[in-house]
Amino acid sequence: MATRVDLANAIRALSMDAVQKANSGHPGAPMGMAEIAEVVWNHNLSHNPTNPQWANRDRFVLSNGHGSMLIYSLLHLTGYDVSIDDIKTFRQLHSKCAGHPEYSYAPGVETTTGPLGQGIANGVGFAMAEKLLASQFNKPGHDIVDHYTYVFLGDGCMMEGVSHEACALAGTWGLGKLMAFWDDNGISIDGHIEGWYTDDTAKRFEAYGWHVQSVDGHDVAAIQAAVDAAKKVTDKPSLICCKTIIGKGSPNKSGSHDCHGSALGDAEVAATRANIGWNHEPFVIPADVYAGWDAKAKGAAAESAWNAKFDAYAKAFPAEAAEFKRRMSNELPANWKEATTKMIADFNEKAEGVASRKASQNVIGALAPILPEFLGGSADLTGSNLTSTGSFVHVEGKKPGNYISYGVREFGMAAIMNGMALHGGLLPFGGTFHMFSDYMKNGMRMSALMKQRVVYVLTHDSIGQGEDGPTHQPVENTSGLRYIPRMTVWRPADATETAVAWVAAVENTSGPTSLVLSRQNLPGIKHDAAQIDLIRKGGYVFSDVAGKADVIIIANGSELDLAIKAAAELNAAGTKVRVVSMPSTNVFDAQDQAYKDSVLTPGVKRVAVEAAHPDFWRKYVGLEGAVVGIDTFGESAPGGVLMKHFGFTVENVVKTVKSVL
């Protein structure tokens, strides 16, 4: 029968063998955290390898994602669909075992980690989702949402600012089901960290409101005792500081950065085998070690017990049970199509001239009763982003709700929302000024990389922002977001386009959506039914002329009105102008070529108008067309003054059109 030392050494052996075969990777963290992993995965983690999507499983996050062989070893050993042949392809093209854990590649990987600090922030999102769903669905005697989130993290995660943002909130929210294990090995890529990381981490987390313990990270009894103590503290997240030796087992490289980010080398691998008493060939795991790790039977029993609890819940609360299943499956309500079609028609009929941020708030208010999974929020700009509505219950400290004030923590907000979306059962959206999407850009990129339905509400979308000046005025940001694969960007020109954009965002289950919205009021526009359907295609002919147009003006957002007025002046003077509204270039680009050609007729000169960097629009206007845009930083003045100053006037649009004819 395998001992616990044998079980931990299996992780060390698989990790160093895989890294050595790839001649690339990070063996140090998996080898140093082997005992911690054995305690968590073999004695505490509630999971079912044969059903990685079981709703009430504990979530595990490897925030120090460079140590990916740790999670691949655990998935393989416990019985997930990660074979020894998969392990042998570590870091190779199309392998389940990518260089860093990638969501949807290997079953059991809950989130993509690699950019340090985001994993622990995702973990905060997982734990918050558990708490909020428990408050929404659990009934006396029926705790159907009841699971932990376990996070492994290293010194690098502790240094990254996003971990501070998220962990401070975790303490404020009292996330008692969140347990983090800090791999305190004192080593990063550059060597011993005393020269750049001297924080008193334990005191810092205590100040955040966490329950903090310190243990020997190689003492399994001490680690388990700390876990047991942490579980008794139900109103605080827990940090277990685990003093470890990086690369433990390696006789010549452990305790140094030499084993952090490179293979040990054949000679050191052989020496490590001898040192830990692992007398087996590479990638060979003895049967008794497999038996000691196998979690399939225990996992099936745990899920079966939960299924029985859920059946009892469903008998007592059938409507709630059905709703829970719907939400965890990311299915829209049965009345979605009917309700949203009517909502869009109502907005169109009213044709209210308001800022698109205000139109967005009106849409949120209309959607909230339809979507109980809605979880709103803002990074300290609720009154400016207009992301709340009267029906929302605001989270206040440890009190649950469905609207979150994240504080001035844009990056933390994005990473936490990713964790919530990954957990399932919630549809998170969060607001900030568009300019500050730069602060959370990597979190937004991770939403797209993982194909998560997260909605970013980005207001004050241009120099029209006004008096706050160039620090607050986005110029390049909209184009930058459009370039993120799988990120859908909408910049609507009126209330109806805003409603369509929101509906599209909710229906988009294959990636995130950014709604780029104005501070300033936009004209109310009434569309016919055919045009409403065409808005959903991302770009459409707003107004046309008889016969072939001489020029096409493409615009969106607040600049559509400029295009309309310029076209009227040009048409009156005999120049035939088609106006195209393009609220979403991403959606338009996904249409078939016939439709795109029907909107942007080949061979017709084009001018694009957007209060943003012009270079993006060259793909539509070509070298013979022109763009009315802005390629400098803005200024501080009222928005209308700035628009005129930088050439966003009817006169300049007309002049620009004439210049291409």
mmCIF file of all heavy atoms in Angstrom, residues 391-431:
data_model
loop_
_atom_site.group_PDB
_atom_site.id
_atom_site.type_symbol
_atom_site.label_atom_id
_atom_site.label_comp_id
_atom_site.label_asym_id
_atom_site.label_seq_id
_atom_site.Cartn_x
_atom_site.Cartn_y
_atom_site.Cartn_z
ATOM 1 N N SER A 391 -34.576 47.769 -8.797
ATOM 2 C CA SER A 391 -34.851 46.428 -8.283
ATOM 3 C C SER A 391 -33.629 45.733 -7.701
ATOM 4 O O SER A 391 -33.760 44.690 -7.052
ATOM 5 C CB SER A 391 -35.441 45.551 -9.394
ATOM 6 O OG SER A 391 -34.505 45.359 -10.452
ATOM 7 N N PHE A 392 -32.444 46.285 -7.922
ATOM 8 C CA PHE A 392 -31.234 45.638 -7.429
ATOM 9 C C PHE A 392 -31.088 45.812 -5.916
ATOM 10 O O PHE A 392 -31.365 46.879 -5.361
ATOM 11 C CB PHE A 392 -29.986 46.196 -8.108
ATOM 12 C CG PHE A 392 -29.748 45.681 -9.504
ATOM 13 C CD1 PHE A 392 -29.064 46.448 -10.422
ATOM 14 C CD2 PHE A 392 -30.188 44.430 -9.895
ATOM 15 C CE1 PHE A 392 -28.835 46.000 -11.717
ATOM 16 C CE2 PHE A 392 -29.969 43.967 -11.188
ATOM 17 C CZ PHE A 392 -29.293 44.750 -12.094
ATOM 18 N N VAL A 393 -30.608 44.752 -5.274
ATOM 19 C CA VAL A 393 -30.221 44.803 -3.863
ATOM 20 C C VAL A 393 -28.704 44.892 -3.811
ATOM 21 O O VAL A 393 -27.998 44.015 -4.305
ATOM 22 C CB VAL A 393 -30.708 43.549 -3.104
ATOM 23 C CG1 VAL A 393 -30.207 43.581 -1.664
ATOM 24 C CG2 VAL A 393 -32.233 43.451 -3.155
ATOM 25 N N HIS A 394 -28.186 45.966 -3.224
ATOM 26 C CA HIS A 394 -26.758 46.195 -3.208
ATOM 27 C C HIS A 394 -26.079 45.342 -2.136
ATOM 28 O O HIS A 394 -26.545 45.256 -0.993
ATOM 29 C CB HIS A 394 -26.446 47.671 -2.976
ATOM 30 C CG HIS A 394 -26.732 48.527 -4.171
ATOM 31 N ND1 HIS A 394 -25.800 49.381 -4.725
ATOM 32 C CD2 HIS A 394 -27.838 48.645 -4.953
ATOM 33 C CE1 HIS A 394 -26.324 49.987 -5.782
ATOM 34 N NE2 HIS A 394 -27.557 49.574 -5.936
ATOM 35 N N VAL A 395 -24.963 44.716 -2.525
ATOM 36 C CA VAL A 395 -24.137 43.999 -1.561
ATOM 37 C C VAL A 395 -23.539 45.024 -0.602
ATOM 38 O O VAL A 395 -22.943 46.019 -1.015
ATOM 39 C CB VAL A 395 -23.018 43.210 -2.273
ATOM 40 C CG1 VAL A 395 -22.045 42.609 -1.266
ATOM 41 C CG2 VAL A 395 -23.624 42.122 -3.162
ATOM 42 N N GLU A 396 -23.691 44.782 0.669
ATOM 43 C CA GLU A 396 -23.133 45.668 1.687
ATOM 44 C C GLU A 396 -22.337 44.844 2.686
ATOM 45 O O GLU A 396 -22.895 44.155 3.541
ATOM 46 C CB GLU A 396 -24.248 46.441 2.403
ATOM 47 C CG GLU A 396 -25.000 47.414 1.497
ATOM 48 C CD GLU A 396 -26.070 48.180 2.219
ATOM 49 O OE1 GLU A 396 -26.135 48.060 3.462
ATOM 50 O OE2 GLU A 396 -26.843 48.907 1.559
ATOM 51 N N GLY A 397 -21.011 44.910 2.566
ATOM 52 C CA GLY A 397 -20.160 44.095 3.426
ATOM 53 C C GLY A 397 -20.470 42.621 3.223
ATOM 54 O O GLY A 397 -20.391 42.101 2.107
ATOM 55 N N LYS A 398 -20.859 41.939 4.286
ATOM 56 C CA LYS A 398 -21.133 40.506 4.223
ATOM 57 C C LYS A 398 -22.579 40.190 3.841
ATOM 58 O O LYS A 398 -22.956 39.022 3.745
ATOM 59 C CB LYS A 398 -20.782 39.864 5.567
ATOM 60 C CG LYS A 398 -19.302 39.995 5.927
ATOM 61 C CD LYS A 398 -18.956 39.418 7.269
ATOM 62 C CE LYS A 398 -17.469 39.628 7.583
ATOM 63 N NZ LYS A 398 -17.071 39.047 8.885
ATOM 64 N N LYS A 399 -23.383 41.241 3.587
ATOM 65 C CA LYS A 399 -24.782 41.052 3.218
ATOM 66 C C LYS A 399 -24.900 40.776 1.719
ATOM 67 O O LYS A 399 -24.438 41.566 0.911
ATOM 68 C CB LYS A 399 -25.579 42.292 3.588
ATOM 69 C CG LYS A 399 -27.040 42.256 3.160
ATOM 70 C CD LYS A 399 -27.686 43.610 3.430
ATOM 71 C CE LYS A 399 -29.055 43.714 2.775
ATOM 72 N NZ LYS A 399 -29.616 45.086 2.885
ATOM 73 N N PRO A 400 -25.513 39.659 1.311
ATOM 74 C CA PRO A 400 -25.631 39.340 -0.122
ATOM 75 C C PRO A 400 -26.577 40.284 -0.857
ATOM 76 O O PRO A 400 -27.354 41.016 -0.238
ATOM 77 C CB PRO A 400 -26.178 37.897 -0.124
ATOM 78 C CG PRO A 400 -26.079 37.413 1.265
ATOM 79 C CD PRO A 400 -26.075 38.587 2.154
ATOM 80 N N GLY A 401 -26.510 40.245 -2.174
ATOM 81 C CA GLY A 401 -27.378 41.036 -3.030
ATOM 82 C C GLY A 401 -27.114 40.687 -4.473
ATOM 83 O O GLY A 401 -26.542 39.652 -4.793
ATOM 84 N N ASN A 402 -27.532 41.561 -5.388
ATOM 85 C CA ASN A 402 -27.260 41.338 -6.810
ATOM 86 C C ASN A 402 -26.700 42.581 -7.501
ATOM 87 O O ASN A 402 -26.756 42.704 -8.721
ATOM 88 C CB ASN A 402 -28.506 40.822 -7.555
ATOM 89 C CG ASN A 402 -29.694 41.748 -7.447
ATOM 90 O OD1 ASN A 402 -29.655 42.791 -6.789
ATOM 91 N ND2 ASN A 402 -30.790 41.377 -8.104
ATOM 92 N N TYR A 403 -26.129 43.486 -6.709
ATOM 93 C CA TYR A 403 -25.385 44.607 -7.251
ATOM 94 C C TYR A 403 -24.187 44.874 -6.347
ATOM 95 O O TYR A 403 -24.317 44.965 -5.129
ATOM 96 C CB TYR A 403 -26.235 45.875 -7.372
ATOM 97 C CG TYR A 403 -25.488 46.977 -8.115
ATOM 98 C CD1 TYR A 403 -25.566 47.069 -9.499
ATOM 99 C CD2 TYR A 403 -24.662 47.876 -7.432
ATOM 100 C CE1 TYR A 403 -24.850 48.045 -10.192
ATOM 101 C CE2 TYR A 403 -23.945 48.839 -8.112
ATOM 102 C CZ TYR A 403 -24.042 48.917 -9.495
ATOM 103 O OH TYR A 403 -23.326 49.863 -10.185
ATOM 104 N N ILE A 404 -22.996 45.017 -6.971
ATOM 105 C CA ILE A 404 -21.753 45.127 -6.217
ATOM 106 C C ILE A 404 -21.071 46.458 -6.493
ATOM 107 O O ILE A 404 -20.819 46.803 -7.651
ATOM 108 C CB ILE A 404 -20.784 43.981 -6.574
ATOM 109 C CG1 ILE A 404 -21.387 42.630 -6.174
ATOM 110 C CG2 ILE A 404 -19.431 44.183 -5.903
ATOM 111 C CD1 ILE A 404 -20.565 41.437 -6.657
ATOM 112 N N SER A 405 -20.769 47.185 -5.449
ATOM 113 C CA SER A 405 -19.852 48.311 -5.551
ATOM 114 C C SER A 405 -18.446 47.758 -5.320
ATOM 115 O O SER A 405 -18.090 47.406 -4.192
ATOM 116 C CB SER A 405 -20.195 49.389 -4.531
ATOM 117 O OG SER A 405 -21.426 50.019 -4.875
ATOM 118 N N TYR A 406 -17.657 47.664 -6.400
ATOM 119 C CA TYR A 406 -16.329 47.064 -6.313
ATOM 120 C C TYR A 406 -15.282 48.020 -5.743
ATOM 121 O O TYR A 406 -14.152 47.595 -5.459
ATOM 122 C CB TYR A 406 -15.868 46.590 -7.696
ATOM 123 C CG TYR A 406 -16.599 45.374 -8.209
ATOM 124 C CD1 TYR A 406 -17.738 45.512 -8.997
ATOM 125 C CD2 TYR A 406 -16.159 44.096 -7.927
ATOM 126 C CE1 TYR A 406 -18.412 44.394 -9.484
ATOM 127 C CE2 TYR A 406 -16.822 42.979 -8.413
ATOM 128 C CZ TYR A 406 -17.949 43.143 -9.188
ATOM 129 O OH TYR A 406 -18.612 42.023 -9.674
ATOM 130 N N GLY A 407 -15.640 49.291 -5.557
ATOM 131 C CA GLY A 407 -14.629 50.264 -5.204
ATOM 132 C C GLY A 407 -13.749 50.553 -6.406
ATOM 133 O O GLY A 407 -14.026 50.116 -7.526
ATOM 134 N N VAL A 408 -12.688 51.327 -6.190
ATOM 135 C CA VAL A 408 -11.811 51.696 -7.308
ATOM 136 C C VAL A 408 -10.864 50.522 -7.585
ATOM 137 O O VAL A 408 -9.679 50.537 -7.233
ATOM 138 C CB VAL A 408 -11.040 52.993 -7.001
ATOM 139 C CG1 VAL A 408 -10.307 53.467 -8.256
ATOM 140 C CG2 VAL A 408 -12.005 54.083 -6.523
ATOM 141 N N ARG A 409 -11.423 49.510 -8.207
ATOM 142 C CA ARG A 409 -10.710 48.248 -8.435
ATOM 143 C C ARG A 409 -11.124 47.672 -9.797
ATOM 144 O O ARG A 409 -11.726 46.593 -9.884
ATOM 145 C CB ARG A 409 -11.043 47.236 -7.337
ATOM 146 C CG ARG A 409 -10.660 47.644 -5.906
ATOM 147 C CD ARG A 409 -10.982 46.527 -4.946
ATOM 148 N NE ARG A 409 -10.622 46.809 -3.566
ATOM 149 C CZ ARG A 409 -11.472 47.268 -2.654
ATOM 150 N NH1 ARG A 409 -12.758 47.523 -2.998
ATOM 151 N NH2 ARG A 409 -11.079 47.472 -1.402
ATOM 152 N N GLU A 410 -10.804 48.365 -10.880
ATOM 153 C CA GLU A 410 -11.269 47.943 -12.195
ATOM 154 C C GLU A 410 -10.752 46.551 -12.573
ATOM 155 O O GLU A 410 -11.519 45.698 -13.040
ATOM 156 C CB GLU A 410 -10.849 48.948 -13.267
ATOM 157 C CG GLU A 410 -11.490 50.327 -13.116
ATOM 158 C CD GLU A 410 -10.688 51.267 -12.243
ATOM 159 O OE1 GLU A 410 -9.670 50.808 -11.663
ATOM 160 O OE2 GLU A 410 -11.061 52.455 -12.136
ATOM 161 N N PHE A 411 -9.466 46.310 -12.389
ATOM 162 C CA PHE A 411 -8.871 45.032 -12.751
ATOM 163 C C PHE A 411 -9.446 43.916 -11.876
ATOM 164 O O PHE A 411 -9.834 42.856 -12.370
ATOM 165 C CB PHE A 411 -7.347 45.122 -12.606
ATOM 166 C CG PHE A 411 -6.570 43.998 -13.231
ATOM 167 C CD1 PHE A 411 -7.188 42.955 -13.930
ATOM 168 C CD2 PHE A 411 -5.177 43.990 -13.138
ATOM 169 C CE1 PHE A 411 -6.437 41.929 -14.507
ATOM 170 C CE2 PHE A 411 -4.429 42.974 -13.716
ATOM 171 C CZ PHE A 411 -5.062 41.940 -14.378
ATOM 172 N N GLY A 412 -9.521 44.191 -10.580
ATOM 173 C CA GLY A 412 -10.106 43.208 -9.677
ATOM 174 C C GLY A 412 -11.532 42.873 -10.063
ATOM 175 O O GLY A 412 -11.944 41.706 -10.025
ATOM 176 N N MET A 413 -12.308 43.886 -10.450
ATOM 177 C CA MET A 413 -13.684 43.661 -10.877
ATOM 178 C C MET A 413 -13.748 42.703 -12.058
ATOM 179 O O MET A 413 -14.540 41.753 -12.055
ATOM 180 C CB MET A 413 -14.344 44.992 -11.245
ATOM 181 C CG MET A 413 -15.757 44.888 -11.801
ATOM 182 S SD MET A 413 -16.544 46.508 -12.105
ATOM 183 C CE MET A 413 -15.592 47.057 -13.536
ATOM 184 N N ALA A 414 -12.916 42.933 -13.063
ATOM 185 C CA ALA A 414 -12.923 42.075 -14.248
ATOM 186 C C ALA A 414 -12.573 40.638 -13.889
ATOM 187 O O ALA A 414 -13.241 39.694 -14.329
ATOM 188 C CB ALA A 414 -11.953 42.609 -15.296
ATOM 189 N N ALA A 415 -11.522 40.454 -13.093
ATOM 190 C CA ALA A 415 -11.089 39.100 -12.739
ATOM 191 C C ALA A 415 -12.114 38.398 -11.856
ATOM 192 O O ALA A 415 -12.352 37.186 -11.998
ATOM 193 C CB ALA A 415 -9.727 39.152 -12.049
ATOM 194 N N ILE A 416 -12.731 39.125 -10.943
ATOM 195 C CA ILE A 416 -13.771 38.544 -10.090
ATOM 196 C C ILE A 416 -14.982 38.151 -10.936
ATOM 197 O O ILE A 416 -15.558 37.068 -10.753
ATOM 198 C CB ILE A 416 -14.160 39.527 -8.972
ATOM 199 C CG1 ILE A 416 -13.029 39.629 -7.944
ATOM 200 C CG2 ILE A 416 -15.456 39.086 -8.284
ATOM 201 C CD1 ILE A 416 -13.198 40.774 -6.952
ATOM 202 N N MET A 417 -15.378 39.017 -11.870
ATOM 203 C CA MET A 417 -16.506 38.686 -12.750
ATOM 204 C C MET A 417 -16.197 37.435 -13.579
ATOM 205 O O MET A 417 -17.090 36.610 -13.811
ATOM 206 C CB MET A 417 -16.849 39.860 -13.650
ATOM 207 C CG MET A 417 -17.485 41.027 -12.939
ATOM 208 S SD MET A 417 -18.329 42.205 -14.036
ATOM 209 C CE MET A 417 -16.954 42.818 -15.013
ATOM 210 N N ASN A 418 -14.957 37.271 -14.009
ATOM 211 C CA ASN A 418 -14.595 36.050 -14.731
ATOM 212 C C ASN A 418 -14.835 34.819 -13.866
ATOM 213 O O ASN A 418 -15.350 33.799 -14.343
ATOM 214 C CB ASN A 418 -13.131 36.104 -15.168
ATOM 215 C CG ASN A 418 -12.914 36.990 -16.378
ATOM 216 O OD1 ASN A 418 -13.839 37.275 -17.139
ATOM 217 N ND2 ASN A 418 -11.685 37.448 -16.567
ATOM 218 N N GLY A 419 -14.442 34.896 -12.596
ATOM 219 C CA GLY A 419 -14.680 33.775 -11.690
ATOM 220 C C GLY A 419 -16.155 33.485 -11.511
ATOM 221 O O GLY A 419 -16.587 32.325 -11.485
ATOM 222 N N MET A 420 -16.967 34.534 -11.390
ATOM 223 C CA MET A 420 -18.412 34.358 -11.251
ATOM 224 C C MET A 420 -19.010 33.697 -12.488
ATOM 225 O O MET A 420 -19.851 32.792 -12.388
ATOM 226 C CB MET A 420 -19.076 35.709 -11.002
ATOM 227 C CG MET A 420 -18.734 36.339 -9.669
ATOM 228 S SD MET A 420 -19.339 38.023 -9.604
ATOM 229 C CE MET A 420 -19.020 38.441 -7.877
ATOM 230 N N ALA A 421 -18.597 34.173 -13.665
ATOM 231 C CA ALA A 421 -19.109 33.595 -14.907
ATOM 232 C C ALA A 421 -18.701 32.134 -15.035
ATOM 233 O O ALA A 421 -19.505 31.281 -15.442
ATOM 234 C CB ALA A 421 -18.609 34.400 -16.098
ATOM 235 N N LEU A 422 -17.453 31.830 -14.684
ATOM 236 C CA LEU A 422 -16.968 30.453 -14.760
ATOM 237 C C LEU A 422 -17.725 29.546 -13.796
ATOM 238 O O LEU A 422 -17.981 28.377 -14.095
ATOM 239 C CB LEU A 422 -15.471 30.409 -14.455
ATOM 240 C CG LEU A 422 -14.544 30.927 -15.552
ATOM 241 C CD1 LEU A 422 -13.196 31.319 -14.967
ATOM 242 C CD2 LEU A 422 -14.371 29.892 -16.654
ATOM 243 N N HIS A 423 -18.068 30.062 -12.639
ATOM 244 C CA HIS A 423 -18.813 29.272 -11.669
ATOM 245 C C HIS A 423 -20.153 28.827 -12.217
ATOM 246 O O HIS A 423 -20.584 27.684 -12.045
ATOM 247 C CB HIS A 423 -19.019 30.066 -10.374
ATOM 248 C CG HIS A 423 -19.761 29.312 -9.320
ATOM 249 N ND1 HIS A 423 -21.131 29.145 -9.337
ATOM 250 C CD2 HIS A 423 -19.316 28.655 -8.213
ATOM 251 C CE1 HIS A 423 -21.502 28.413 -8.302
ATOM 252 N NE2 HIS A 423 -20.424 28.118 -7.600
ATOM 253 N N GLY A 424 -20.822 29.733 -12.923
ATOM 254 C CA GLY A 424 -22.146 29.439 -13.454
ATOM 255 C C GLY A 424 -23.243 29.944 -12.544
ATOM 256 O O GLY A 424 -23.046 30.163 -11.342
ATOM 257 N N GLY A 425 -24.410 30.179 -13.142
ATOM 258 C CA GLY A 425 -25.571 30.600 -12.382
ATOM 259 C C GLY A 425 -25.749 32.094 -12.263
ATOM 260 O O GLY A 425 -26.777 32.572 -11.774
ATOM 261 N N LEU A 426 -24.745 32.870 -12.684
ATOM 262 C CA LEU A 426 -24.798 34.324 -12.618
ATOM 263 C C LEU A 426 -24.365 34.912 -13.955
ATOM 264 O O LEU A 426 -23.541 34.329 -14.662
ATOM 265 C CB LEU A 426 -23.885 34.859 -11.510
ATOM 266 C CG LEU A 426 -24.213 34.439 -10.076
ATOM 267 C CD1 LEU A 426 -23.084 34.838 -9.133
ATOM 268 C CD2 LEU A 426 -25.531 35.036 -9.608
ATOM 269 N N LEU A 427 -24.915 36.081 -14.276
ATOM 270 C CA LEU A 427 -24.510 36.809 -15.475
ATOM 271 C C LEU A 427 -23.966 38.158 -15.013
ATOM 272 O O LEU A 427 -24.713 39.117 -14.815
ATOM 273 C CB LEU A 427 -25.703 37.005 -16.419
ATOM 274 C CG LEU A 427 -25.416 37.293 -17.889
ATOM 275 C CD1 LEU A 427 -26.711 37.273 -18.707
ATOM 276 C CD2 LEU A 427 -24.708 38.638 -18.124
ATOM 277 N N PRO A 428 -22.646 38.248 -14.830
ATOM 278 C CA PRO A 428 -22.088 39.473 -14.267
ATOM 279 C C PRO A 428 -21.848 40.560 -15.312
ATOM 280 O O PRO A 428 -21.434 40.295 -16.436
ATOM 281 C CB PRO A 428 -20.745 38.990 -13.687
ATOM 282 C CG PRO A 428 -20.365 37.820 -14.541
ATOM 283 C CD PRO A 428 -21.653 37.176 -14.995
ATOM 284 N N PHE A 429 -22.138 41.796 -14.934
ATOM 285 C CA PHE A 429 -21.725 42.944 -15.725
ATOM 286 C C PHE A 429 -21.154 43.994 -14.786
ATOM 287 O O PHE A 429 -21.551 44.095 -13.626
ATOM 288 C CB PHE A 429 -22.861 43.500 -16.582
ATOM 289 C CG PHE A 429 -24.004 44.143 -15.824
ATOM 290 C CD1 PHE A 429 -23.976 45.483 -15.496
ATOM 291 C CD2 PHE A 429 -25.128 43.402 -15.482
ATOM 292 C CE1 PHE A 429 -25.040 46.080 -14.831
ATOM 293 C CE2 PHE A 429 -26.189 43.985 -14.806
ATOM 294 C CZ PHE A 429 -26.149 45.323 -14.482
ATOM 295 N N GLY A 430 -20.196 44.752 -15.307
ATOM 296 C CA GLY A 430 -19.542 45.754 -14.480
ATOM 297 C C GLY A 430 -19.198 46.987 -15.283
ATOM 298 O O GLY A 430 -18.848 46.899 -16.463
ATOM 299 N N GLY A 431 -19.294 48.136 -14.634
ATOM 300 C CA GLY A 431 -19.089 49.404 -15.316
ATOM 301 C C GLY A 431 -17.878 50.175 -14.828
ATOM 302 O O GLY A 431 -17.469 50.078 -13.671
#
